[in-house]
Amino acid sequence: MTVPAVSFHGVTKRFPGVVALDDVTFDVARGSCHAVCGENGAGKSTLGKVLAGIQEPDGGELLLDGRQVRFTSPRDALTNGVAMVHQELAFCENLSVAENLCLGQLPSRRGFVAWTELHVRATQLLDTIGATIDPTRRVGTLSIAEQQLVQIAAAVGSGARVIIFDEPTSSLGQNDAERLFSLIGQLKARGVTVIYVSHRMAEIFRLCDSVTVLRDGRHVSTDPIAALDEGSLVQRMIGRRLEQYFPTHARAALGDEVLRVDCLTSPGRFTDISFTLRAGEVLGFAGLVGAGRSELAQALFGLDPHVTGDIYVRGRREPIRSPRAAMALGLGLVPEDRKRQGLILSMLARENTTLPILERLARLTFVRRGMERDLARTQTSRVKVRSDVLENATTSLSGGNQQKLVLAKWLAARSDILMLDEPTRGVDVGAKAELHTWIDQMAAEGAAVLLISSELPELLNLSRRILVLRGGRVVGEVPREHADQDTVLRMMAGLDAAA
């Protein structure tokens, strides 16, 4: 028999009060693409970090090509041919793309950085994945999708024999995702072993040869992908069947116009954007990375000082120049990057939930903790966050629970015009279904929702109509009854939708 590229034998990892991995055992065949699936908190990322030398296991054995190994650092793992593309991006944002790509191996001459050689090496790394990013740009100026591409370039360009991809497409548009899929095929053809952590069923069935399911830190099953269908895989992940549903708000009559945007323009970001949004409506925004969707939402929330044009809220022209002004009008923004823009990770979950409304909870500048706890418990229960985690640090929560906290924050603020930018990014299928139900419920109760998503099935299922942006402009509108993936994709790419 061929020796597996990677073998986990009874791997266990504990954190204070939590067993993240409990006696996990399975093999990964050499040159295969092996999926690791499970709900948020199942232990998938922890398993990847153990293999990548970021965390040391508390028990069990890790074998690489049949040889027992124990990595004490990411550098140690990389020396042995293991690299990881992380879900949560970690860069030195004040440094350039080139410096980040070559950090730890900066080319030098006579004690000084050899800048020309550095930029040549960085360009070569980016070329391996077809990324056209200027290596001299500061990483802090890149979009989330561009940062993800830089991280992928670093892992692939390292020459690793085993690469762990942890939710690699969670912030990529369709074009970049397709390039990544092609790249994974090339890696497999070269004999590289890929461990692919993802919640996206279509990607798993398209790319992977085998799939391992984890639940609550334990190994549930490992099977050839051909032996499963989507329903049975989801059932193994969450312990129950996940039924498809038709959103109830789509059957109800729409309310009054609550938001109107006329000729909104921000130089270099978007141009001449106009649309209306009514109570009880979910309005989807589709577009490739760089189309201007996130920038538009930020401008509506008062985060763009250079924006021009008119914004009408409930019939009145409102100059929204700050988030405080937007919040006073009932607008709430769930940003694309919850960790940097949506939450303060060092604060408790309870404190993040009530952050926008501290003035309402304060008496003589002191927050009334009892009232805060009651409000946080009420609002987080609406998005199915357990009350026993409210006193935990937000950084300790799973990605799904962190995303739910951002939503609960705007529930507490009584926002009725919600802008949701990639609201299900990096959450598992169970949490995603819960968030979809919540969006549907909010619209059914009369809230107006502006939904930005790179996942077309999400837009198609939830939206009453979809506006397509390309190059910072609205290039078309598709009503729900005429919307399908092919039509929307062609408009996003600039092809004739009728072809």
Side-chain angles (χ1 to χ4, degrees):
M1 291 180 63
T2 304
V3 176
V6 180
S7 296
F8 299 95
H9 288 174
V11 173
T12 299
K13 179 64 182 176
R14 300 181 184 87
F15 297 103
V18 177
V19 180
L21 295 172
D22 187 2
D23 194 29
V24 172
T25 299
F26 67 94
D27 295 332
V28 179
R30 183 180 288 102
S32 69
C33 184
H34 190 110
V36 178
C37 301
E39 292 191 273
N40 288 114
K44 309 180 302 296
S45 294
T46 302
L47 189 71
K49 289 175 181 177
V50 166
L51 179 57
I54 299 166
Q55 295 170 348
E56 292 191 56
D58 297 315
E61 294 180 343
L62 181 63
L63 278 69
L64 198 63
D65 294 323
R67 176 175 53 91
Q68 186 174 345
V69 293
R70 192 174 186 91
F71 303 140
T72 57
S73 69
R75 182 189 290 273
D76 190 12
L78 193 57
T79 301
N80 284 272
V82 179
M84 183 173 184
V85 176
H86 299 272
Q87 176 185 356
E88 307 300 345
L89 304 174
F91 289 107
C92 299
E93 296 193 354
N94 59 318
L95 299 181
S96 70
V97 170
E99 289 169 306
N100 272 278
L101 282 171
C102 302
L103 206 58
Q105 295 179 322
L106 293 173
S108 62
R109 284 203 181 98
R110 298 176 183 174
F112 294 94
V113 174
W115 293 106
T116 301
E117 185 179 343
L118 174 72
H119 291 146
V120 169
R121 186 184 298 179
T123 301
Q124 290 172 343
L125 289 172
L126 292 167
D127 285 345
T128 61
I129 66 165
T132 56
I133 298 172
D134 182 354
T136 65
R137 280 183 65 185
R138 188 167 59 85
V139 164
T141 67
L142 301 181
S143 68
I144 296 298
E146 289 171 325
Q147 289 187 22
Q148 186 72 294
L149 291 173
V150 171
Q151 190 179 200
I152 292 169
V156 173
S158 68
R161 304 189 314 276
V162 177
I163 302 180
I164 307 133
F165 289 91
D166 190 359
E167 298 289 350
T169 61
S170 60
S171 56
L172 299 183
Q174 190 70 28
N175 279 3
D176 289 327
E178 288 293 335
R179 281 204 295 269
L180 174 62
F181 300 157
S182 176
L183 175 65
I184 288 174
Q186 295 169 26
L187 291 171
K188 287 176 58 182
R190 298 199 321 241
V192 175
T193 303
V194 174
I195 297 178
Y196 196 83
V197 178
S198 180
H199 300 118
R200 299 186 175 184
M201 296 291 106
E203 295 177 9
I204 291 168
F205 281 91
R206 174 177 175 176
L207 297 173
C208 299
D209 305 297
S210 302
V211 56
T212 289
V213 177
L214 301 180
R215 192 191 310 149
D216 298 326
R218 294 183 177 141
H219 177 263
V220 174
S221 63
T222 296
D223 297 284
I225 198 71
L228 299 171
D229 59 25
E230 187 170 319
S232 59
L233 180 55
V234 170
Q235 186 172 12
R236 293 185 185 198
M237 290 168 60
I238 66 178
R240 66 184 189 280
R241 282 213 163 264
L242 194 61
E243 303 298 335
Q244 292 289 334
Y245 76 98
F246 184 89
T248 58
H249 81 270
R251 302 187 185 96
L254 293 175
D256 296 333
E257 177 186 288
V258 294
L259 179 68
R260 177 156 54 94
V261 174
D262 283 342
C263 301
L264 211 63
T265 298
S266 180
R269 308 180 89 193
F270 53 83
T271 304
D272 199 23
I273 302 288
S274 300
F275 66 89
T276 62
L277 179 64
R278 297 171 66 181
E281 181 177 24
V282 177
L283 174 60
F285 275 76
L288 302 176
V289 173
R293 299 167 301 161
S294 298
E295 292 81 358
L296 173 63
Q298 291 163 8
L300 292 173
F301 199 60
L303 291 168
D304 185 348
H306 307 294
V307 71
T308 59
D310 296 321
I311 302 172
Y312 295 84
V313 180
R314 298 176 190 88
R316 290 186 54 181
R317 185 176 179 275
E318 302 284 358
I320 303 177
R321 297 300 179 191
S322 69
R324 183 181 292 273
M327 290 161 58
L329 294 167
L331 276 73
L333 172 64
V334 175
E336 178 183 15
D337 188 348
R338 59 178 171 264
K339 291 185 179 291
R340 288 198 301 176
Q341 302 166 331
L343 297 166
I344 300 176
L345 297 178
S346 59
M347 293 177 67
L348 301 179
R350 162 177 53 82
E351 295 169 328
N352 269 292
T353 305
T354 59
L355 202 54
I357 57 165
L358 288 179
E359 291 179 352
R360 293 207 325 241
L361 299 174
R363 176 180 290 166
L364 300 176
T365 72
F366 292 96
V367 175
R368 290 174 281 184
R369 294 301 180 195
M371 182 181 294
E372 182 187 41
R373 278 191 289 271
D374 290 342
L375 181 62
R377 193 177 297 115
T378 298
Q379 300 304 343
T380 53
S381 67
R382 293 179 63 184
V383 291
K384 297 188 177 181
V385 174
R386 300 195 320 269
S387 60
D388 60 352
V389 306
L390 291 179
E391 300 305 315
N392 293 353
T394 303
T395 189
S396 69
L397 304 185
S398 68
N401 277 334
Q402 288 182 0
Q403 190 73 333
K404 290 177 183 179
L405 278 188
V406 182
L407 298 170
K409 178 171 67 175
W410 297 117
L411 288 176
R414 301 173 189 163
S415 300
D416 57 1
I417 303 175
L418 293 163
M419 295 176 288
L420 311 180
D421 192 356
E422 305 289 358
T424 61
R425 175 180 175 257
V427 306
D428 63 68
V429 289
K432 182 179 292 188
E434 291 174 353
L435 291 172
H436 287 175
T437 302
W438 178 85
I439 293 169
D440 178 35
Q441 180 183 343
M442 292 299 296
E445 292 174 358
V449 179
L450 192 158
L451 176 63
I452 297 169
S453 178
S454 298
E455 294 195 39
L456 287 184
E458 185 168 76
L459 285 178
L460 295 170
N461 189 43
L462 290 171
S463 305
R464 290 281 190 115
R465 55 195 172 101
I466 297 173
L467 293 184
V468 181
L469 271 66
R470 187 174 69 249
R473 294 178 181 271
V474 175
V475 295
E477 177 180 323
V478 186
R480 179 182 181 86
E481 57 271 21
H482 296 144
D484 57 57
Q485 290 204 46
D486 186 62
T487 299
V488 177
L489 273 172
R490 285 178 172 277
M491 294 175 71
M492 289 164 56
L495 303 174
D496 179 10

Short mmCIF file of all heavy atoms in Angstrom, two decimals, residues 297-334:
data_model
loop_
_atom_site.label_atom_id
_atom_site.label_comp_id
_atom_site.label_asym_id
_atom_site.label_seq_id
_atom_site.Cartn_x
_atom_site.Cartn_y
_atom_site.Cartn_z
N ALA A 297 -21.60 50.52 0.31
CA ALA A 297 -22.18 50.35 1.64
C ALA A 297 -21.47 51.24 2.66
O ALA A 297 -22.12 51.85 3.54
CB ALA A 297 -22.10 48.88 2.06
N GLN A 298 -20.15 51.34 2.56
CA GLN A 298 -19.40 52.19 3.48
C GLN A 298 -19.78 53.65 3.31
O GLN A 298 -19.89 54.40 4.29
CB GLN A 298 -17.90 51.98 3.27
CG GLN A 298 -17.41 50.61 3.69
CD GLN A 298 -16.05 50.26 3.13
OE1 GLN A 298 -15.38 51.11 2.53
NE2 GLN A 298 -15.62 49.02 3.31
N ALA A 299 -19.99 54.07 2.07
CA ALA A 299 -20.40 55.46 1.82
C ALA A 299 -21.77 55.74 2.41
O ALA A 299 -22.00 56.81 3.01
CB ALA A 299 -20.39 55.74 0.32
N LEU A 300 -22.70 54.80 2.27
CA LEU A 300 -24.04 54.99 2.83
C LEU A 300 -24.01 55.04 4.36
O LEU A 300 -24.89 55.61 4.98
CB LEU A 300 -24.96 53.85 2.38
CG LEU A 300 -25.31 53.83 0.89
CD1 LEU A 300 -26.09 52.56 0.54
CD2 LEU A 300 -26.11 55.06 0.51
N PHE A 301 -22.97 54.46 4.95
CA PHE A 301 -22.84 54.46 6.41
C PHE A 301 -22.00 55.63 6.90
O PHE A 301 -21.64 55.68 8.07
CB PHE A 301 -22.22 53.13 6.86
CG PHE A 301 -22.46 52.82 8.30
CD1 PHE A 301 -23.75 52.69 8.81
CD2 PHE A 301 -21.39 52.63 9.16
CE1 PHE A 301 -23.96 52.40 10.14
CE2 PHE A 301 -21.59 52.33 10.50
CZ PHE A 301 -22.88 52.22 11.00
N GLY A 302 -21.67 56.56 6.02
CA GLY A 302 -20.97 57.76 6.44
C GLY A 302 -19.47 57.61 6.56
O GLY A 302 -18.83 58.41 7.25
N LEU A 303 -18.90 56.61 5.88
CA LEU A 303 -17.47 56.35 6.03
C LEU A 303 -16.64 56.87 4.85
O LEU A 303 -15.44 56.63 4.81
CB LEU A 303 -17.23 54.84 6.17
CG LEU A 303 -17.73 54.22 7.48
CD1 LEU A 303 -17.72 52.70 7.40
CD2 LEU A 303 -16.86 54.69 8.64
N ASP A 304 -17.26 57.59 3.91
CA ASP A 304 -16.55 58.10 2.74
C ASP A 304 -16.72 59.61 2.66
O ASP A 304 -17.78 60.11 2.24
CB ASP A 304 -17.09 57.43 1.47
CG ASP A 304 -16.31 57.81 0.22
OD1 ASP A 304 -15.50 58.76 0.29
OD2 ASP A 304 -16.50 57.16 -0.82
N PRO A 305 -15.70 60.37 3.06
CA PRO A 305 -15.83 61.84 3.06
C PRO A 305 -15.86 62.46 1.66
O PRO A 305 -16.18 63.64 1.52
CB PRO A 305 -14.58 62.30 3.83
CG PRO A 305 -13.58 61.20 3.63
CD PRO A 305 -14.38 59.93 3.55
N HIS A 306 -15.52 61.67 0.64
CA HIS A 306 -15.43 62.21 -0.71
C HIS A 306 -16.67 61.94 -1.56
O HIS A 306 -16.72 62.32 -2.73
CB HIS A 306 -14.20 61.62 -1.42
CG HIS A 306 -12.93 61.78 -0.65
ND1 HIS A 306 -12.35 63.01 -0.40
CD2 HIS A 306 -12.12 60.86 -0.04
CE1 HIS A 306 -11.25 62.85 0.30
NE2 HIS A 306 -11.09 61.56 0.53
N VAL A 307 -17.67 61.29 -1.00
CA VAL A 307 -18.84 60.90 -1.77
C VAL A 307 -19.70 62.11 -2.10
O VAL A 307 -19.83 63.05 -1.31
CB VAL A 307 -19.66 59.83 -1.02
CG1 VAL A 307 -20.38 60.43 0.19
CG2 VAL A 307 -20.64 59.15 -1.95
N THR A 308 -20.27 62.11 -3.31
CA THR A 308 -21.23 63.14 -3.72
C THR A 308 -22.50 62.47 -4.20
O THR A 308 -22.52 61.27 -4.49
CB THR A 308 -20.64 64.01 -4.85
OG1 THR A 308 -20.33 63.17 -5.98
CG2 THR A 308 -19.39 64.73 -4.40
N GLY A 309 -23.56 63.23 -4.30
CA GLY A 309 -24.86 62.69 -4.68
C GLY A 309 -25.83 62.84 -3.53
O GLY A 309 -25.52 63.43 -2.49
N ASP A 310 -27.03 62.33 -3.72
CA ASP A 310 -28.10 62.52 -2.74
C ASP A 310 -28.55 61.20 -2.14
O ASP A 310 -28.71 60.19 -2.85
CB ASP A 310 -29.30 63.21 -3.40
CG ASP A 310 -28.94 64.61 -3.89
OD1 ASP A 310 -28.20 65.30 -3.18
OD2 ASP A 310 -29.40 64.99 -4.98
N ILE A 311 -28.78 61.21 -0.81
CA ILE A 311 -29.32 60.07 -0.10
C ILE A 311 -30.60 60.51 0.60
O ILE A 311 -30.59 61.49 1.35
CB ILE A 311 -28.32 59.52 0.94
CG1 ILE A 311 -27.00 59.12 0.27
CG2 ILE A 311 -28.92 58.34 1.70
CD1 ILE A 311 -25.90 58.75 1.27
N TYR A 312 -31.69 59.80 0.32
CA TYR A 312 -32.98 60.11 0.95
C TYR A 312 -33.37 58.95 1.86
O TYR A 312 -33.38 57.80 1.44
CB TYR A 312 -34.06 60.32 -0.11
CG TYR A 312 -33.83 61.51 -1.01
CD1 TYR A 312 -33.00 61.40 -2.13
CD2 TYR A 312 -34.43 62.74 -0.74
CE1 TYR A 312 -32.76 62.48 -2.96
CE2 TYR A 312 -34.20 63.84 -1.58
CZ TYR A 312 -33.37 63.69 -2.68
OH TYR A 312 -33.15 64.78 -3.49
N VAL A 313 -33.65 59.27 3.11
CA VAL A 313 -34.10 58.27 4.07
C VAL A 313 -35.52 58.62 4.49
O VAL A 313 -35.77 59.70 5.02
CB VAL A 313 -33.17 58.22 5.30
CG1 VAL A 313 -33.66 57.16 6.30
CG2 VAL A 313 -31.74 57.93 4.88
N ARG A 314 -36.45 57.71 4.18
CA ARG A 314 -37.89 57.91 4.45
C ARG A 314 -38.38 59.24 3.86
O ARG A 314 -39.12 59.98 4.50
CB ARG A 314 -38.16 57.85 5.96
CG ARG A 314 -37.80 56.49 6.55
CD ARG A 314 -37.98 56.43 8.06
NE ARG A 314 -37.39 55.20 8.56
CZ ARG A 314 -36.11 55.07 8.90
NH1 ARG A 314 -35.29 56.10 8.81
NH2 ARG A 314 -35.64 53.91 9.33
N GLY A 315 -37.92 59.52 2.64
CA GLY A 315 -38.40 60.68 1.91
C GLY A 315 -37.66 61.97 2.16
O GLY A 315 -37.90 62.96 1.44
N ARG A 316 -36.77 62.00 3.13
CA ARG A 316 -36.04 63.23 3.44
C ARG A 316 -34.60 63.12 2.99
O ARG A 316 -33.95 62.10 3.21
CB ARG A 316 -36.08 63.52 4.94
CG ARG A 316 -37.44 63.95 5.47
CD ARG A 316 -37.34 64.34 6.92
NE ARG A 316 -36.32 65.35 7.15
CZ ARG A 316 -36.02 65.86 8.36
NH1 ARG A 316 -36.65 65.39 9.44
NH2 ARG A 316 -35.10 66.78 8.48
N ARG A 317 -34.10 64.17 2.36
CA ARG A 317 -32.69 64.19 1.96
C ARG A 317 -31.83 64.31 3.21
O ARG A 317 -32.02 65.20 4.03
CB ARG A 317 -32.42 65.36 1.02
CG ARG A 317 -31.01 65.38 0.46
CD ARG A 317 -30.82 66.51 -0.54
NE ARG A 317 -29.47 66.54 -1.06
CZ ARG A 317 -28.45 67.15 -0.45
NH1 ARG A 317 -28.66 67.80 0.68
NH2 ARG A 317 -27.25 67.12 -0.99
N GLU A 318 -30.89 63.37 3.35
CA GLU A 318 -30.07 63.32 4.56
C GLU A 318 -28.59 63.30 4.18
O GLU A 318 -28.13 62.38 3.50
CB GLU A 318 -30.38 62.06 5.38
CG GLU A 318 -31.83 61.93 5.82
CD GLU A 318 -32.17 62.86 6.98
OE1 GLU A 318 -31.26 63.58 7.46
OE2 GLU A 318 -33.34 62.87 7.39
N PRO A 319 -27.82 64.29 4.61
CA PRO A 319 -26.37 64.24 4.39
C PRO A 319 -25.71 63.35 5.45
O PRO A 319 -25.48 63.78 6.59
CB PRO A 319 -25.94 65.71 4.56
CG PRO A 319 -26.97 66.29 5.48
CD PRO A 319 -28.26 65.54 5.27
N ILE A 320 -25.42 62.13 5.09
CA ILE A 320 -24.84 61.17 6.06
C ILE A 320 -23.32 61.29 5.99
O ILE A 320 -22.68 60.75 5.09
CB ILE A 320 -25.30 59.73 5.75
CG1 ILE A 320 -26.84 59.65 5.77
CG2 ILE A 320 -24.71 58.75 6.75
CD1 ILE A 320 -27.38 58.29 5.39
N ARG A 321 -22.76 61.98 6.96
CA ARG A 321 -21.32 62.24 6.96
C ARG A 321 -20.56 61.47 8.03
O ARG A 321 -19.33 61.63 8.14
CB ARG A 321 -21.08 63.75 7.16
CG ARG A 321 -21.64 64.62 6.04
CD ARG A 321 -21.00 64.25 4.71
NE ARG A 321 -21.52 65.05 3.60
CZ ARG A 321 -21.28 64.79 2.33
NH1 ARG A 321 -20.54 63.74 2.01
NH2 ARG A 321 -21.78 65.55 1.38
N SER A 322 -21.25 60.66 8.80
CA SER A 322 -20.57 59.88 9.84
C SER A 322 -21.41 58.67 10.19
O SER A 322 -22.64 58.67 9.99
CB SER A 322 -20.36 60.74 11.09
OG SER A 322 -21.61 61.01 11.71
N PRO A 323 -20.81 57.62 10.74
CA PRO A 323 -21.59 56.48 11.21
C PRO A 323 -22.62 56.88 12.27
O PRO A 323 -23.70 56.29 12.32
CB PRO A 323 -20.52 55.54 11.79
CG PRO A 323 -19.28 55.86 11.01
CD PRO A 323 -19.35 57.34 10.79
N ARG A 324 -22.28 57.86 13.10
CA ARG A 324 -23.25 58.29 14.11
C ARG A 324 -24.52 58.83 13.46
O ARG A 324 -25.64 58.54 13.90
CB ARG A 324 -22.63 59.36 15.01
CG ARG A 324 -23.54 59.84 16.14
CD ARG A 324 -22.86 60.92 16.96
NE ARG A 324 -21.74 60.38 17.70
CZ ARG A 324 -21.85 59.83 18.91
NH1 ARG A 324 -23.03 59.73 19.49
NH2 ARG A 324 -20.78 59.38 19.53
N ALA A 325 -24.35 59.59 12.37
CA ALA A 325 -25.51 60.12 11.66
C ALA A 325 -26.30 58.99 11.02
O ALA A 325 -27.54 58.99 11.03
CB ALA A 325 -25.06 61.12 10.60
N ALA A 326 -25.61 58.00 10.46
CA ALA A 326 -26.28 56.85 9.84
C ALA A 326 -27.07 56.07 10.89
O ALA A 326 -28.22 55.67 10.65
CB ALA A 326 -25.26 55.95 9.16
N MET A 327 -26.47 55.81 12.03
CA MET A 327 -27.13 55.06 13.09
C MET A 327 -28.36 55.79 13.61
O MET A 327 -29.39 55.17 13.91
CB MET A 327 -26.15 54.79 14.23
CG MET A 327 -25.05 53.79 13.87
SD MET A 327 -23.61 53.87 14.97
CE MET A 327 -24.38 53.56 16.55
N ALA A 328 -28.28 57.12 13.68
CA ALA A 328 -29.43 57.90 14.15
C ALA A 328 -30.61 57.78 13.20
O ALA A 328 -31.77 57.94 13.61
CB ALA A 328 -29.03 59.37 14.30
N LEU A 329 -30.34 57.47 11.92
CA LEU A 329 -31.39 57.31 10.92
C LEU A 329 -31.86 55.86 10.80
O LEU A 329 -32.70 55.55 9.95
CB LEU A 329 -30.89 57.80 9.56
CG LEU A 329 -30.60 59.30 9.46
CD1 LEU A 329 -29.82 59.61 8.20
CD2 LEU A 329 -31.90 60.09 9.51
N GLY A 330 -31.30 54.97 11.62
CA GLY A 330 -31.73 53.58 11.61
C GLY A 330 -30.95 52.69 10.68
O GLY A 330 -31.38 51.56 10.40
N LEU A 331 -29.79 53.15 10.18
CA LEU A 331 -28.96 52.33 9.31
C LEU A 331 -27.95 51.54 10.14
O LEU A 331 -27.39 52.05 11.11
CB LEU A 331 -28.19 53.19 8.30
CG LEU A 331 -28.94 53.58 7.01
CD1 LEU A 331 -29.99 54.64 7.30
CD2 LEU A 331 -27.96 54.10 5.96
N GLY A 332 -27.74 50.29 9.75
CA GLY A 332 -26.73 49.45 10.38
C GLY A 332 -25.91 48.76 9.31
O GLY A 332 -26.43 48.39 8.26
N LEU A 333 -24.60 48.60 9.57
CA LEU A 333 -23.70 47.99 8.59
C LEU A 333 -23.01 46.78 9.21
O LEU A 333 -22.31 46.90 10.21
CB LEU A 333 -22.64 48.99 8.12
CG LEU A 333 -21.51 48.43 7.25
CD1 LEU A 333 -22.06 47.89 5.93
CD2 LEU A 333 -20.44 49.49 6.98
N VAL A 334 -23.23 45.61 8.61
CA VAL A 334 -22.44 44.42 8.94
C VAL A 334 -21.32 44.37 7.91
O VAL A 334 -21.55 44.05 6.75
CB VAL A 334 -23.31 43.15 8.88
CG1 VAL A 334 -22.45 41.91 9.10
CG2 VAL A 334 -24.42 43.21 9.91
#
